[in-house]
Amino acid sequence: MTTHLDTTVAADATVSADALGVPAAQRRSAVLEESVRANPGRFRVLTGDRPTGRLHLGHYFGTVHNRVRLQELGVEMMVLIADYQVLTDRDVADRLTEHVADLVLDYLAVGIDPDRSTIFTHSAVPALNQLLVPFLSLISVAELNRNPTVKEEISQSRQASVSGLMFTYPVHQAADILFCKANLVPVGQDQLPHLEVTRMVARRFNRRYGRLFPEPEALLSTAPLLLGTDGTKMSKSRGNAIALAASADETARLIRGAKTDAGRHITYDPDTRPEVSSLVLLAALCLDRDPHLVAQDIGGRGAAALKGLVTEAVNEYLAPVRRRRAELAEDRGHIRRILRDGNERANAIAEATLRQVRTAMNTESSHSQ
Ligand code: TRP
């Protein structure tokens, strides 16, 4: 069997929000938000990041901040460090240990509480990964081939060929979510196709072998998009990102060099003035104010005044996070213990689920224990 993966069409594979089902997912997310607030105990959330380095402000205001909020509401939270999925980006795979530690430090510094949330890694939870085998049998190659996010990643990756892992990682992600029977997955729009794969796997497994898995739902983030200092998507590899752990001086330098436009009067208008508006938005998020009012305050004082305000707002907002992070970084043993405890918990959950899967699939008699 050949998998015909046409990467030549991938370049224009960016799919519209409508085609991804974003409006429907937004409406559903609003309903879910209400029930989370009314009844947080009904939800188990799974979220995850690839360990590609330190978290930046785009991650923070995009997703991480929301996780802390859900944790504070009393939702049970599983936080996955996707150290197998990150193997699809070969350039970072060699500094994994450091990246994993950085991620744990960032999580703790922003307020993920290991007593209430489980932080764990793919590679330490064999039973999670083992679910990939039966799950792969439930999805067709054509379905994987249609996944717009995978197409996009393939077109963005500078690799000569597409690995089997890259092609199948949405199914691996289904294992990430279903191993702990999470029913709520906070995501950005680009992850909606993956969640659809997870739901399909759950539905088909349940139909074929008996009901075992919930069909998890996407909780779309309402956070507005924060751009990098050059006006494009904030990303470490583009050098336009402000890391949570950056120093105050480094932050000032990055913001000083940020792209603006020729308009002297500062306004908040993301569609026509993306660069200026993203700076305004960053200040507004740190100050917890309406971006229009922040822009109004700066008004005719121009980009230099705006940058001064943004720098001060970011540095002030992040000061306690940075302080906590530096303290925690002193004790590597503590970080290792947190991961060991999280992995232990994740293993217990994964092993219990795998036992149920074996029973459901009638493969348990192949085990002597
Ligand atoms: N794919 C996600 C990303 O690239 C990370 C991730 C891995 C994830 N497994 C997950 C997210 C499960 C949500 C649920 O950022």
Side-chain angles (χ1 to χ4, degrees):
M1 183 179 63
T2 53
T3 63
H4 180 71
L5 193 74
D6 187 354
T7 55
T8 56
V9 299
D12 48 31
T14 313
V15 175
S16 74
D18 274 12
L20 286 176
V22 172
Q26 271 164 346
R27 284 191 297 275
R28 182 66 192 142
S29 292
V31 175
L32 287 165
E33 245 331 304
E34 297 250 312
S35 44
V36 167
R37 248 172 282 133
N39 207 340
R42 270 189 36 217
F43 294 91
R44 176 179 269 179
V45 164
L46 181 118
T47 67
D49 296 296
R50 302 178 194 198
T52 55
R54 295 172 170 192
L55 292 178
H56 54 63
L57 283 169
H59 296 123
Y60 180 74
F61 286 116
T63 56
V64 180
H65 180 66
N66 191 39
R67 291 182 199 164
V68 178
R69 185 185 65 93
L70 290 167
Q71 172 190 276
E72 297 308 313
L73 284 173
V75 170
E76 186 187 352
M77 179 95 58
M78 306 288 295
V79 185
L80 164 68
I81 298 178
D83 64 344
Y84 274 168
Q85 193 178 105
V86 82
L87 298 176
T88 58
D89 315 307
R90 250 175 310 177
D91 49 333
V92 296
D94 55 338
R95 289 171 56 208
L96 262 183
T97 314
E98 192 186 325
H99 289 327
V100 169
D102 270 333
L103 210 44
V104 176
L105 277 171
D106 282 330
Y107 288 155
L108 300 180
V110 300
I112 302 273
D113 172 3
D115 289 333
R116 286 180 286 167
S117 297
T118 303
I119 303 173
F120 67 103
T121 58
H122 268 147
S123 62
V125 189
L128 179 162
N129 293 292
Q130 201 171 327
L131 293 175
L132 182 62
V133 178
F135 287 180
L136 277 171
S137 76
L138 299 169
I139 291 286
S140 74
V141 167
E143 283 163 341
L144 290 172
N145 217 351
R146 273 202 294 273
N147 187 304
T149 301
V150 174
K151 283 191 194 175
E152 177 85 9
E153 291 212 11
I154 287 169
S155 78
Q156 303 248 313
S157 81
R158 291 164 297 270
Q159 292 164 19
S161 63
V162 176
S163 72
L165 181 64
M166 170 74 100
F167 190 56
T168 55
Y169 88 77
V171 187
H172 196 215
Q173 206 158 308
D176 296 343
I177 297 168
L178 296 177
F179 95 92
C180 64
K181 301 183 182 169
N183 53 6
L184 195 62
V185 186
V187 287
Q189 297 184 1
D190 65 318
Q191 298 286 306
L192 286 176
H194 296 350
L195 207 70
E196 216 27 70
V197 170
T198 297
R199 292 167 60 83
M200 223 143 65
V201 166
R203 210 176 308 133
R204 289 175 186 171
F205 186 98
N206 291 345
R207 203 181 308 136
R208 195 171 300 182
Y209 301 111
R211 195 181 146 69
L212 185 58
F213 294 112
E215 271 184 54
E217 300 209 71
L219 185 68
L220 266 189
S221 140
T222 51
L225 190 67
L226 200 57
L227 300 174
T229 50
D230 61 354
T232 71
K233 185 179 171 192
M234 195 183 284
S235 144
K236 197 180 89 155
S237 58
R238 298 178 195 226
N240 65 359
I242 301 167
L244 298 182
S247 69
D249 287 349
E250 204 180 327
T251 303
R253 187 175 52 73
L254 278 163
I255 294 171
R256 209 177 308 122
K259 198 170 159 199
T260 52
D261 58 34
R264 167 108 195 129
H265 201 90
I266 299 302
T267 54
Y268 181 64
D269 193 349
D271 289 336
T272 59
R273 302 183 73 184
E275 297 94 353
V276 163
S277 300
S278 191
L279 284 171
V280 171
L281 175 64
L282 179 51
L285 288 167
C286 291
L287 298 166
D288 198 14
R289 290 191 64 202
D290 181 322
H292 293 282
L293 297 179
V294 171
Q296 225 171 60
D297 282 357
I298 302 284
R301 288 187 291 134
L306 173 63
K307 288 179 177 179
L309 175 75
V310 176
T311 302
E312 205 177 302
V314 169
N315 281 338
E316 197 152 309
Y317 186 88
L318 288 180
V321 173
R322 289 168 171 167
R323 211 175 311 120
R324 242 186 336 262
R325 196 185 192 284
E327 275 164 28
L328 289 159
E330 296 283 305
D331 188 356
R332 293 283 155 168
H334 179 61
I335 300 299
R336 274 196 300 275
R337 275 193 301 281
I338 282 172
L339 260 185
R340 196 194 50 212
D341 291 352
N343 285 332
E344 201 175 303
R345 222 180 101 65
N347 267 304
I349 296 171
E351 280 158 22
T353 302
L354 186 60
R355 272 196 298 276
Q356 291 175 318
V357 164
R358 284 173 178 154
T359 305
M361 294 177 73
N362 256 319
T363 51
E364 72 199 318
S365 54
S366 332
H367 297 268
S368 49
Q369 74 274 42

